Short mmCIF file of all heavy atoms in Angstrom, two decimals:
data_model
loop_
_atom_site.label_atom_id
_atom_site.label_comp_id
_atom_site.label_asym_id
_atom_site.label_seq_id
_atom_site.Cartn_x
_atom_site.Cartn_y
_atom_site.Cartn_z
N LEU D 1 -16.49 -3.48 -91.99
CA LEU D 1 -16.26 -2.86 -93.23
C LEU D 1 -17.30 -1.69 -93.49
O LEU D 1 -17.03 -0.68 -94.02
CB LEU D 1 -16.50 -3.88 -94.42
CG LEU D 1 -15.39 -4.91 -94.52
CD1 LEU D 1 -15.72 -5.95 -95.72
CD2 LEU D 1 -13.97 -4.26 -94.78
N MET D 2 -18.54 -1.92 -93.01
CA MET D 2 -19.54 -0.80 -93.12
C MET D 2 -19.13 0.36 -92.18
O MET D 2 -19.37 1.52 -92.60
CB MET D 2 -20.89 -1.38 -92.58
CG MET D 2 -21.46 -2.45 -93.48
SD MET D 2 -21.70 -1.99 -95.18
CE MET D 2 -22.91 -0.72 -95.09
N PHE D 3 -18.64 0.07 -91.05
CA PHE D 3 -18.07 1.17 -90.20
C PHE D 3 -16.95 1.92 -90.91
O PHE D 3 -16.96 3.15 -90.88
CB PHE D 3 -17.57 0.56 -88.84
CG PHE D 3 -17.00 1.62 -87.91
CD1 PHE D 3 -17.78 2.45 -87.10
CD2 PHE D 3 -15.58 1.79 -87.87
CE1 PHE D 3 -17.22 3.39 -86.33
CE2 PHE D 3 -14.99 2.74 -87.14
CZ PHE D 3 -15.86 3.52 -86.30
N PHE D 4 -16.02 1.23 -91.54
CA PHE D 4 -15.00 1.89 -92.31
C PHE D 4 -15.53 2.68 -93.48
O PHE D 4 -14.96 3.73 -93.71
CB PHE D 4 -13.96 0.81 -92.70
CG PHE D 4 -13.12 0.19 -91.62
CD1 PHE D 4 -12.90 -1.12 -91.66
CD2 PHE D 4 -12.65 1.02 -90.63
CE1 PHE D 4 -12.10 -1.69 -90.62
CE2 PHE D 4 -11.94 0.37 -89.54
CZ PHE D 4 -11.69 -0.91 -89.58
N SER D 5 -16.52 2.25 -94.07
CA SER D 5 -17.19 3.04 -95.12
C SER D 5 -17.66 4.36 -94.55
O SER D 5 -17.45 5.45 -95.19
CB SER D 5 -18.38 2.23 -95.71
OG SER D 5 -18.98 2.98 -96.86
N GLY D 6 -18.24 4.32 -93.42
CA GLY D 6 -18.71 5.57 -92.68
C GLY D 6 -17.46 6.55 -92.42
O GLY D 6 -17.58 7.73 -92.51
N LEU D 7 -16.34 5.90 -92.06
CA LEU D 7 -15.19 6.67 -91.72
C LEU D 7 -14.64 7.43 -93.06
O LEU D 7 -14.22 8.49 -93.04
CB LEU D 7 -14.00 5.83 -91.30
CG LEU D 7 -13.98 5.48 -89.69
CD1 LEU D 7 -12.72 4.64 -89.35
CD2 LEU D 7 -13.97 6.79 -88.92
N PHE D 8 -14.79 6.65 -94.18
CA PHE D 8 -14.35 7.25 -95.42
C PHE D 8 -15.32 8.50 -95.79
O PHE D 8 -14.82 9.39 -96.49
CB PHE D 8 -14.31 6.25 -96.58
CG PHE D 8 -13.12 5.45 -96.58
CD1 PHE D 8 -13.18 4.01 -96.50
CD2 PHE D 8 -11.81 6.04 -96.70
CE1 PHE D 8 -11.95 3.29 -96.51
CE2 PHE D 8 -10.72 5.25 -96.75
CZ PHE D 8 -10.80 3.89 -96.63
N PHE D 9 -16.50 8.45 -95.37
CA PHE D 9 -17.48 9.51 -95.63
C PHE D 9 -16.95 10.72 -94.79
O PHE D 9 -16.96 11.89 -95.34
CB PHE D 9 -18.84 9.25 -95.18
CG PHE D 9 -19.83 10.38 -95.35
CD1 PHE D 9 -20.31 10.65 -96.62
CD2 PHE D 9 -20.30 11.02 -94.29
CE1 PHE D 9 -21.15 11.75 -96.81
CE2 PHE D 9 -21.13 12.11 -94.47
CZ PHE D 9 -21.62 12.55 -95.68
N VAL D 10 -16.45 10.61 -93.64
CA VAL D 10 -15.78 11.64 -92.78
C VAL D 10 -14.59 12.22 -93.51
O VAL D 10 -14.48 13.47 -93.63
CB VAL D 10 -15.50 11.13 -91.33
CG1 VAL D 10 -14.75 12.25 -90.63
CG2 VAL D 10 -16.72 10.71 -90.67
N ALA D 11 -13.75 11.27 -93.96
CA ALA D 11 -12.51 11.72 -94.73
C ALA D 11 -12.81 12.55 -95.98
O ALA D 11 -12.22 13.39 -96.27
CB ALA D 11 -11.67 10.50 -95.03
N LEU D 12 -13.94 12.08 -96.65
CA LEU D 12 -14.38 12.70 -97.86
C LEU D 12 -14.78 14.15 -97.64
O LEU D 12 -14.34 15.07 -98.35
CB LEU D 12 -15.55 11.95 -98.54
CG LEU D 12 -16.01 12.58 -99.89
CD1 LEU D 12 -15.09 12.52 -100.93
CD2 LEU D 12 -17.33 11.77 -100.20
N ILE D 13 -15.49 14.40 -96.51
CA ILE D 13 -15.92 15.68 -96.18
C ILE D 13 -14.65 16.58 -95.84
O ILE D 13 -14.56 17.76 -96.21
CB ILE D 13 -16.89 15.75 -94.89
CG1 ILE D 13 -18.13 14.84 -95.25
CG2 ILE D 13 -17.22 17.03 -94.34
CD1 ILE D 13 -18.97 15.47 -96.40
N ILE D 14 -13.76 15.97 -94.98
CA ILE D 14 -12.52 16.67 -94.69
C ILE D 14 -11.67 17.09 -95.95
O ILE D 14 -11.14 18.17 -96.05
CB ILE D 14 -11.63 15.87 -93.79
CG1 ILE D 14 -12.39 15.81 -92.33
CG2 ILE D 14 -10.22 16.57 -93.46
CD1 ILE D 14 -11.78 14.78 -91.39
N SER D 15 -11.66 16.15 -96.96
CA SER D 15 -10.96 16.42 -98.24
C SER D 15 -11.52 17.62 -98.93
O SER D 15 -10.88 18.23 -99.81
CB SER D 15 -10.86 15.22 -99.06
OG SER D 15 -12.08 14.97 -99.74
N LEU D 16 -12.83 17.82 -98.71
CA LEU D 16 -13.50 19.02 -99.40
C LEU D 16 -13.32 20.20 -98.46
O LEU D 16 -13.13 21.35 -99.09
CB LEU D 16 -14.99 18.64 -99.54
CG LEU D 16 -15.37 17.54 -100.50
CD1 LEU D 16 -16.73 17.19 -100.44
CD2 LEU D 16 -14.82 17.77 -101.89
N VAL D 17 -13.29 20.13 -97.21
CA VAL D 17 -13.19 21.24 -96.35
C VAL D 17 -11.81 21.88 -96.44
O VAL D 17 -11.62 23.09 -96.44
CB VAL D 17 -13.42 20.84 -94.84
CG1 VAL D 17 -13.05 21.92 -93.86
CG2 VAL D 17 -14.98 20.53 -94.65
N ILE D 18 -10.76 20.99 -96.63
CA ILE D 18 -9.38 21.57 -96.73
C ILE D 18 -9.26 22.42 -97.93
O ILE D 18 -8.42 23.36 -97.91
CB ILE D 18 -8.41 20.38 -96.73
CG1 ILE D 18 -6.95 20.95 -96.45
CG2 ILE D 18 -8.37 19.78 -98.14
CD1 ILE D 18 -5.99 19.81 -96.31
N ARG D 19 -10.09 22.29 -98.95
CA ARG D 19 -10.05 23.19 -100.07
C ARG D 19 -10.44 24.66 -99.75
O ARG D 19 -9.94 25.58 -100.40
CB ARG D 19 -10.95 22.63 -101.15
CG ARG D 19 -10.58 21.27 -101.81
CD ARG D 19 -11.73 20.66 -102.51
NE ARG D 19 -11.43 19.32 -102.85
CZ ARG D 19 -11.06 18.99 -104.15
NH1 ARG D 19 -10.94 19.89 -105.07
NH2 ARG D 19 -10.77 17.68 -104.44
N LEU D 20 -11.28 24.71 -98.75
CA LEU D 20 -11.68 26.13 -98.28
C LEU D 20 -10.43 26.82 -97.71
O LEU D 20 -10.18 28.09 -98.04
CB LEU D 20 -12.77 26.07 -97.26
CG LEU D 20 -14.16 25.36 -97.70
CD1 LEU D 20 -15.10 25.33 -96.48
CD2 LEU D 20 -14.72 26.14 -98.81
N ASP D 21 -9.66 26.04 -96.94
CA ASP D 21 -8.43 26.65 -96.40
C ASP D 21 -7.42 26.98 -97.48
O ASP D 21 -6.81 27.98 -97.44
CB ASP D 21 -7.83 25.49 -95.57
CG ASP D 21 -7.09 26.14 -94.32
OD1 ASP D 21 -7.69 27.16 -93.81
OD2 ASP D 21 -6.06 25.59 -93.82
N ILE D 22 -7.30 26.10 -98.56
CA ILE D 22 -6.39 26.35 -99.63
C ILE D 22 -6.83 27.64 -100.41
O ILE D 22 -5.99 28.41 -100.75
CB ILE D 22 -6.46 25.14 -100.62
CG1 ILE D 22 -5.82 23.93 -99.85
CG2 ILE D 22 -5.69 25.48 -101.89
CD1 ILE D 22 -5.98 22.60 -100.65
N ARG D 23 -8.15 27.78 -100.69
CA ARG D 23 -8.62 28.90 -101.39
C ARG D 23 -8.33 30.16 -100.65
O ARG D 23 -7.98 31.24 -101.24
CB ARG D 23 -10.08 28.77 -101.76
CG ARG D 23 -10.42 27.77 -102.80
CD ARG D 23 -11.87 27.96 -103.43
NE ARG D 23 -12.19 26.80 -104.16
CZ ARG D 23 -12.99 25.74 -103.68
NH1 ARG D 23 -13.58 25.91 -102.53
NH2 ARG D 23 -13.26 24.70 -104.50
N LYS D 24 -8.56 30.15 -99.31
CA LYS D 24 -8.30 31.36 -98.47
C LYS D 24 -6.90 31.70 -98.54
O LYS D 24 -6.56 32.91 -98.67
CB LYS D 24 -8.73 30.96 -97.03
CG LYS D 24 -8.96 32.16 -96.12
CD LYS D 24 -9.14 31.85 -94.71
CE LYS D 24 -10.37 30.86 -94.46
NZ LYS D 24 -10.54 30.49 -92.97
N LEU D 25 -5.92 30.69 -98.50
CA LEU D 25 -4.47 31.02 -98.52
C LEU D 25 -4.14 31.54 -99.95
O LEU D 25 -3.34 32.53 -99.99
CB LEU D 25 -3.74 29.79 -98.17
CG LEU D 25 -3.60 29.53 -96.79
CD1 LEU D 25 -3.28 28.00 -96.52
CD2 LEU D 25 -2.58 30.35 -96.13
N GLU D 26 -4.66 30.97 -100.93
CA GLU D 26 -4.35 31.39 -102.28
C GLU D 26 -4.75 32.94 -102.52
O GLU D 26 -4.12 33.68 -103.14
CB GLU D 26 -5.08 30.47 -103.32
CG GLU D 26 -4.41 29.17 -103.52
CD GLU D 26 -5.10 28.21 -104.42
OE1 GLU D 26 -6.35 28.38 -104.54
OE2 GLU D 26 -4.51 27.23 -104.91
#
């Protein structure tokens, strides 16, 4: 469960990084 919590941190970062791509396209 602690390992999966770490994976969610990675996913959280990606969910923020994708916004840069979205803004660039917009």
Side-chain angles (χ1 to χ4, degrees):
L1 292 180
M2 295 304 291
F3 176 80
F4 290 139
S5 181
L7 276 183
F8 278 123
F9 180 73
V10 174
L12 180 65
I13 298 300
I14 293 170
S15 78
L16 299 174
V17 170
I18 198 172
R19 293 162 188 261
L20 302 175
D21 214 34
I22 291 169
R23 286 197 197 105
K24 200 189 298 178
L25 280 161
E26 285 174 340

